[in-house]
PDB file of all heavy atoms in Angstrom:
ATOM      1  N   ILE A1089     -17.551-189.408 105.146  1.00  0.00           N
ATOM      2  CA  ILE A1089     -17.128-190.676 104.533  1.00  0.00           C
ATOM      3  C   ILE A1089     -17.160-191.824 105.543  1.00  0.00           C
ATOM      4  O   ILE A1089     -17.560-192.946 105.229  1.00  0.00           O
ATOM      5  CB  ILE A1089     -15.716-190.534 103.928  1.00  0.00           C
ATOM      6  CG1 ILE A1089     -15.751-189.570 102.734  1.00  0.00           C
ATOM      7  CG2 ILE A1089     -15.154-191.891 103.509  1.00  0.00           C
ATOM      8  CD1 ILE A1089     -14.385-189.121 102.252  1.00  0.00           C
ATOM      9  N   GLY A1090     -16.743-191.544 106.792  1.00  0.00           N
ATOM     10  CA  GLY A1090     -16.601-192.606 107.773  1.00  0.00           C
ATOM     11  C   GLY A1090     -17.851-192.972 108.549  1.00  0.00           C
ATOM     12  O   GLY A1090     -17.943-194.075 109.110  1.00  0.00           O
ATOM     13  N   SER A1091     -18.848-192.069 108.598  1.00  0.00           N
ATOM     14  CA  SER A1091     -20.011-192.272 109.469  1.00  0.00           C
ATOM     15  C   SER A1091     -20.807-193.527 109.164  1.00  0.00           C
ATOM     16  O   SER A1091     -21.119-194.312 110.066  1.00  0.00           O
ATOM     17  CB  SER A1091     -20.955-191.066 109.385  1.00  0.00           C
ATOM     18  OG  SER A1091     -20.442-189.994 110.100  1.00  0.00           O
ATOM     19  N   PHE A1092     -21.184-193.712 107.904  1.00  0.00           N
ATOM     20  CA  PHE A1092     -22.061-194.841 107.549  1.00  0.00           C
ATOM     21  C   PHE A1092     -21.406-196.185 107.860  1.00  0.00           C
ATOM     22  O   PHE A1092     -21.992-197.001 108.595  1.00  0.00           O
ATOM     23  CB  PHE A1092     -22.501-194.764 106.089  1.00  0.00           C
ATOM     24  CG  PHE A1092     -23.567-195.762 105.733  1.00  0.00           C
ATOM     25  CD1 PHE A1092     -24.901-195.382 105.690  1.00  0.00           C
ATOM     26  CD2 PHE A1092     -23.257-197.093 105.456  1.00  0.00           C
ATOM     27  CE1 PHE A1092     -25.902-196.301 105.386  1.00  0.00           C
ATOM     28  CE2 PHE A1092     -24.244-198.025 105.149  1.00  0.00           C
ATOM     29  CZ  PHE A1092     -25.569-197.621 105.107  1.00  0.00           C
ATOM     30  N   PRO A1093     -20.195-196.465 107.327  1.00  0.00           N
ATOM     31  CA  PRO A1093     -19.596-197.782 107.621  1.00  0.00           C
ATOM     32  C   PRO A1093     -19.281-197.983 109.093  1.00  0.00           C
ATOM     33  O   PRO A1093     -19.394-199.104 109.603  1.00  0.00           O
ATOM     34  CB  PRO A1093     -18.323-197.795 106.768  1.00  0.00           C
ATOM     35  CG  PRO A1093     -18.046-196.375 106.431  1.00  0.00           C
ATOM     36  CD  PRO A1093     -19.372-195.689 106.387  1.00  0.00           C
ATOM     37  N   ASN A1094     -18.914-196.905 109.793  1.00  0.00           N
ATOM     38  CA  ASN A1094     -18.596-197.004 111.214  1.00  0.00           C
ATOM     39  C   ASN A1094     -19.820-197.421 112.028  1.00  0.00           C
ATOM     40  O   ASN A1094     -19.791-198.392 112.788  1.00  0.00           O
ATOM     41  CB  ASN A1094     -18.051-195.644 111.687  1.00  0.00           C
ATOM     42  CG  ASN A1094     -18.108-195.479 113.187  1.00  0.00           C
ATOM     43  OD1 ASN A1094     -17.811-196.394 113.944  1.00  0.00           O
ATOM     44  ND2 ASN A1094     -18.507-194.303 113.634  1.00  0.00           N
ATOM     45  N   ALA A1095     -20.928-196.696 111.860  1.00  0.00           N
ATOM     46  CA  ALA A1095     -22.145-197.003 112.617  1.00  0.00           C
ATOM     47  C   ALA A1095     -22.746-198.336 112.190  1.00  0.00           C
ATOM     48  O   ALA A1095     -23.267-199.093 113.016  1.00  0.00           O
ATOM     49  CB  ALA A1095     -23.168-195.876 112.447  1.00  0.00           C
ATOM     50  N   ALA A1096     -22.682-198.632 110.886  1.00  0.00           N
ATOM     51  CA  ALA A1096     -23.213-199.897 110.383  1.00  0.00           C
ATOM     52  C   ALA A1096     -22.439-201.075 110.975  1.00  0.00           C
ATOM     53  O   ALA A1096     -23.027-202.086 111.383  1.00  0.00           O
ATOM     54  CB  ALA A1096     -23.134-199.928 108.856  1.00  0.00           C
ATOM     55  N   ALA A1097     -21.103-200.945 111.040  1.00  0.00           N
ATOM     56  CA  ALA A1097     -20.268-202.012 111.608  1.00  0.00           C
ATOM     57  C   ALA A1097     -20.611-202.243 113.074  1.00  0.00           C
ATOM     58  O   ALA A1097     -20.679-203.387 113.539  1.00  0.00           O
ATOM     59  CB  ALA A1097     -18.792-201.655 111.463  1.00  0.00           C
ATOM     60  N   PHE A1098     -20.840-201.133 113.810  1.00  0.00           N
ATOM     61  CA  PHE A1098     -21.174-201.282 115.224  1.00  0.00           C
ATOM     62  C   PHE A1098     -22.488-202.038 115.388  1.00  0.00           C
ATOM     63  O   PHE A1098     -22.563-203.018 116.132  1.00  0.00           O
ATOM     64  CB  PHE A1098     -21.293-199.918 115.923  1.00  0.00           C
ATOM     65  CG  PHE A1098     -21.836-200.052 117.326  1.00  0.00           C
ATOM     66  CD1 PHE A1098     -20.995-200.405 118.371  1.00  0.00           C
ATOM     67  CD2 PHE A1098     -23.188-199.900 117.595  1.00  0.00           C
ATOM     68  CE1 PHE A1098     -21.478-200.577 119.654  1.00  0.00           C
ATOM     69  CE2 PHE A1098     -23.697-200.072 118.872  1.00  0.00           C
ATOM     70  CZ  PHE A1098     -22.837-200.407 119.907  1.00  0.00           C
ATOM     71  N   PHE A1099     -23.547-201.596 114.703  1.00  0.00           N
ATOM     72  CA  PHE A1099     -24.865-202.168 114.958  1.00  0.00           C
ATOM     73  C   PHE A1099     -25.024-203.578 114.424  1.00  0.00           C
ATOM     74  O   PHE A1099     -25.717-204.400 115.033  1.00  0.00           O
ATOM     75  CB  PHE A1099     -25.976-201.256 114.412  1.00  0.00           C
ATOM     76  CG  PHE A1099     -26.439-200.259 115.432  1.00  0.00           C
ATOM     77  CD1 PHE A1099     -26.167-198.916 115.284  1.00  0.00           C
ATOM     78  CD2 PHE A1099     -27.128-200.667 116.557  1.00  0.00           C
ATOM     79  CE1 PHE A1099     -26.584-197.994 116.239  1.00  0.00           C
ATOM     80  CE2 PHE A1099     -27.552-199.763 117.518  1.00  0.00           C
ATOM     81  CZ  PHE A1099     -27.272-198.423 117.352  1.00  0.00           C
ATOM     82  N   ILE A1100     -24.376-203.913 113.316  1.00  0.00           N
ATOM     83  CA  ILE A1100     -24.505-205.283 112.815  1.00  0.00           C
ATOM     84  C   ILE A1100     -23.783-206.243 113.773  1.00  0.00           C
ATOM     85  O   ILE A1100     -24.245-207.366 114.019  1.00  0.00           O
ATOM     86  CB  ILE A1100     -23.989-205.425 111.359  1.00  0.00           C
ATOM     87  CG1 ILE A1100     -24.513-206.733 110.758  1.00  0.00           C
ATOM     88  CG2 ILE A1100     -22.480-205.348 111.272  1.00  0.00           C
ATOM     89  CD1 ILE A1100     -24.337-206.853 109.269  1.00  0.00           C
ATOM     90  N   THR A1101     -22.653-205.788 114.360  1.00  0.00           N
ATOM     91  CA  THR A1101     -21.963-206.602 115.366  1.00  0.00           C
ATOM     92  C   THR A1101     -22.793-206.692 116.640  1.00  0.00           C
ATOM     93  O   THR A1101     -22.976-207.777 117.210  1.00  0.00           O
ATOM     94  CB  THR A1101     -20.577-206.004 115.686  1.00  0.00           C
ATOM     95  OG1 THR A1101     -19.840-205.836 114.477  1.00  0.00           O
ATOM     96  CG2 THR A1101     -19.796-206.904 116.638  1.00  0.00           C
ATOM     97  N   TYR A1102     -23.311-205.550 117.084  1.00  0.00           N
ATOM     98  CA  TYR A1102     -24.104-205.479 118.324  1.00  0.00           C
ATOM     99  C   TYR A1102     -25.317-206.402 118.247  1.00  0.00           C
ATOM    100  O   TYR A1102     -25.571-207.209 119.151  1.00  0.00           O
ATOM    101  CB  TYR A1102     -24.544-204.029 118.540  1.00  0.00           C
ATOM    102  CG  TYR A1102     -25.436-203.808 119.754  1.00  0.00           C
ATOM    103  CD1 TYR A1102     -24.927-203.878 121.046  1.00  0.00           C
ATOM    104  CD2 TYR A1102     -26.789-203.503 119.604  1.00  0.00           C
ATOM    105  CE1 TYR A1102     -25.734-203.656 122.153  1.00  0.00           C
ATOM    106  CE2 TYR A1102     -27.604-203.283 120.706  1.00  0.00           C
ATOM    107  CZ  TYR A1102     -27.069-203.360 121.974  1.00  0.00           C
ATOM    108  OH  TYR A1102     -27.879-203.144 123.059  1.00  0.00           O
ATOM    109  N   GLU A1103     -26.083-206.312 117.162  1.00  0.00           N
ATOM    110  CA  GLU A1103     -27.311-207.106 117.040  1.00  0.00           C
ATOM    111  C   GLU A1103     -27.009-208.592 116.880  1.00  0.00           C
ATOM    112  O   GLU A1103     -27.708-209.442 117.432  1.00  0.00           O
ATOM    113  CB  GLU A1103     -28.155-206.609 115.858  1.00  0.00           C
ATOM    114  CG  GLU A1103     -28.710-205.195 116.023  1.00  0.00           C
ATOM    115  CD  GLU A1103     -29.789-205.089 117.104  1.00  0.00           C
ATOM    116  OE1 GLU A1103     -30.208-206.119 117.660  1.00  0.00           O
ATOM    117  OE2 GLU A1103     -30.211-203.962 117.399  1.00  0.00           O
ATOM    118  N   ASN A1104     -25.946-208.923 116.122  1.00  0.00           N
ATOM    119  CA  ASN A1104     -25.602-210.334 115.929  1.00  0.00           C
ATOM    120  C   ASN A1104     -25.096-210.973 117.215  1.00  0.00           C
ATOM    121  O   ASN A1104     -25.494-212.095 117.556  1.00  0.00           O
ATOM    122  CB  ASN A1104     -24.550-210.476 114.819  1.00  0.00           C
ATOM    123  CG  ASN A1104     -25.179-210.562 113.440  1.00  0.00           C
ATOM    124  OD1 ASN A1104     -25.766-211.571 113.063  1.00  0.00           O
ATOM    125  ND2 ASN A1104     -25.076-209.481 112.680  1.00  0.00           N
ATOM    126  N   VAL A1105     -24.232-210.272 117.949  1.00  0.00           N
ATOM    127  CA  VAL A1105     -23.728-210.813 119.213  1.00  0.00           C
ATOM    128  C   VAL A1105     -24.871-210.943 120.208  1.00  0.00           C
ATOM    129  O   VAL A1105     -24.983-211.952 120.924  1.00  0.00           O
ATOM    130  CB  VAL A1105     -22.598-209.919 119.783  1.00  0.00           C
ATOM    131  CG1 VAL A1105     -22.203-210.365 121.190  1.00  0.00           C
ATOM    132  CG2 VAL A1105     -21.380-209.962 118.865  1.00  0.00           C
ATOM    133  N   LYS A1106     -25.756-209.940 120.250  1.00  0.00           N
ATOM    134  CA  LYS A1106     -26.897-209.962 121.167  1.00  0.00           C
ATOM    135  C   LYS A1106     -27.807-211.160 120.890  1.00  0.00           C
ATOM    136  O   LYS A1106     -28.334-211.786 121.804  1.00  0.00           O
ATOM    137  CB  LYS A1106     -27.693-208.656 121.030  1.00  0.00           C
ATOM    138  CG  LYS A1106     -28.532-208.309 122.244  1.00  0.00           C
ATOM    139  CD  LYS A1106     -29.053-206.872 122.176  1.00  0.00           C
ATOM    140  CE  LYS A1106     -30.085-206.699 121.094  1.00  0.00           C
ATOM    141  NZ  LYS A1106     -30.823-205.422 121.233  1.00  0.00           N
ATOM    142  N   SER A1107     -27.953-211.502 119.600  1.00  0.00           N
ATOM    143  CA  SER A1107     -28.821-212.628 119.243  1.00  0.00           C
ATOM    144  C   SER A1107     -28.202-213.975 119.605  1.00  0.00           C
ATOM    145  O   SER A1107     -28.916-214.968 119.781  1.00  0.00           O
ATOM    146  CB  SER A1107     -29.134-212.594 117.741  1.00  0.00           C
ATOM    147  OG  SER A1107     -27.989-212.910 116.970  1.00  0.00           O
ATOM    148  N   LEU A1108     -26.876-214.016 119.725  1.00  0.00           N
ATOM    149  CA  LEU A1108     -26.181-215.272 120.050  1.00  0.00           C
ATOM    150  C   LEU A1108     -26.087-215.527 121.552  1.00  0.00           C
ATOM    151  O   LEU A1108     -25.887-216.657 121.983  1.00  0.00           O
ATOM    152  CB  LEU A1108     -24.765-215.255 119.461  1.00  0.00           C
ATOM    153  CG  LEU A1108     -24.660-215.248 117.930  1.00  0.00           C
ATOM    154  CD1 LEU A1108     -23.212-215.041 117.510  1.00  0.00           C
ATOM    155  CD2 LEU A1108     -25.207-216.547 117.348  1.00  0.00           C
ATOM    156  N   LEU A1109     -26.224-214.456 122.340  1.00  0.00           N
ATOM    157  CA  LEU A1109     -26.072-214.569 123.792  1.00  0.00           C
ATOM    158  C   LEU A1109     -27.431-214.618 124.482  1.00  0.00           C
ATOM    159  O   LEU A1109     -28.431-214.170 123.920  1.00  0.00           O
ATOM    160  CB  LEU A1109     -25.274-213.371 124.325  1.00  0.00           C
ATOM    161  CG  LEU A1109     -23.825-213.272 123.838  1.00  0.00           C
ATOM    162  CD1 LEU A1109     -23.216-211.955 124.293  1.00  0.00           C
ATOM    163  CD2 LEU A1109     -22.984-214.436 124.349  1.00  0.00           C
ATOM    164  N   PRO A1110     -27.505-215.159 125.716  1.00  0.00           N
ATOM    165  CA  PRO A1110     -28.780-215.171 126.457  1.00  0.00           C
ATOM    166  C   PRO A1110     -29.269-213.745 126.684  1.00  0.00           C
ATOM    167  O   PRO A1110     -28.496-212.877 127.072  1.00  0.00           O
ATOM    168  CB  PRO A1110     -28.417-215.826 127.800  1.00  0.00           C
ATOM    169  CG  PRO A1110     -27.123-216.509 127.563  1.00  0.00           C
ATOM    170  CD  PRO A1110     -26.418-215.755 126.492  1.00  0.00           C
ATOM    171  N   HIS A1111     -30.540-213.495 126.384  1.00  0.00           N
ATOM    172  CA  HIS A1111     -31.093-212.169 126.593  1.00  0.00           C
ATOM    173  C   HIS A1111     -32.595-212.269 126.832  1.00  0.00           C
ATOM    174  O   HIS A1111     -33.188-213.320 126.724  1.00  0.00           O
ATOM    175  CB  HIS A1111     -30.811-211.251 125.401  1.00  0.00           C
ATOM    176  CG  HIS A1111     -31.467-211.686 124.127  1.00  0.00           C
ATOM    177  ND1 HIS A1111     -31.029-212.781 123.409  1.00  0.00           N
ATOM    178  CD2 HIS A1111     -32.542-211.183 123.464  1.00  0.00           C
ATOM    179  CE1 HIS A1111     -31.806-212.926 122.345  1.00  0.00           C
ATOM    180  NE2 HIS A1111     -32.722-211.976 122.356  1.00  0.00           N
ATOM    181  N   GLY A1112     -33.195-211.146 127.130  1.00  0.00           N
ATOM    182  CA  GLY A1112     -34.628-211.105 127.434  1.00  0.00           C
ATOM    183  C   GLY A1112     -34.860-210.252 128.657  1.00  0.00           C
ATOM    184  O   GLY A1112     -34.023-210.213 129.555  1.00  0.00           O
TER     185      GLY A1112
END
């Protein structure tokens, strides 16, 4: 029950924060 929302929450936060910060 917990796997999908848990992993989805992590990656959507990870990718969005990464896109807002300097990277490359």
